[in-house]
Amino acid sequence: MAEISRSKVVYIASGGIEAESIRILLESFGLNPYTNQESAGKAYGLTVGPLGLVEVLVPEDQAEEALKIIHDMDSGKLETPGGEEEDQP
């Protein structure tokens, strides 16, 4: 029988756009995040209040790394110098 992997909530976002941004950030570091929202909130497209909250989860063994990445993001360690994106050639 296959083992069921456990997940851990590493971020609670106010709406789907914020949650997707965090999910994409964590994926860019090679993690396997996914989002979870109360079905009524998702069906009505809510972005405020309890039904608008969206959980970002990762497998339990990736939680520590995900939390460090989120902490680095919150403290500005992931920003490029000057706070702007570097020009692409």
Side-chain angles (χ1 to χ4, degrees):
M1 181 176 239
E3 182 179 322
I4 298 173
S5 67
R6 296 183 178 261
S7 297
K8 183 171 181 177
V9 175
V10 293
Y11 194 85
I12 298 177
S14 297
I17 294 173
E18 181 184 10
E20 284 300 304
S21 297
I22 299 298
R23 184 189 63 76
I24 290 167
L25 171 69
L26 295 175
E27 277 185 352
S28 75
F29 282 87
L31 302 181
N32 300 307
Y34 64 95
T35 60
N36 181 46
Q37 182 178 13
E38 174 66 42
S39 59
K42 192 171 190 172
Y44 291 109
L46 299 175
T47 59
V48 296
L51 294 178
L53 299 178
V54 182
E55 298 174 329
V56 179
L57 301 96
V58 296
E60 202 170 62
D61 63 338
Q62 296 179 354
E64 187 176 331
E65 184 177 358
L67 290 169
K68 181 186 179 319
I69 293 166
I70 292 168
H71 178 267
D72 288 349
M73 176 198 68
D74 285 341
S75 62
K77 292 180 182 176
L78 300 181
E79 293 182 14
T80 58
E84 298 179 15
E85 290 186 29
E86 295 179 20
D87 292 330
Q88 299 292 327

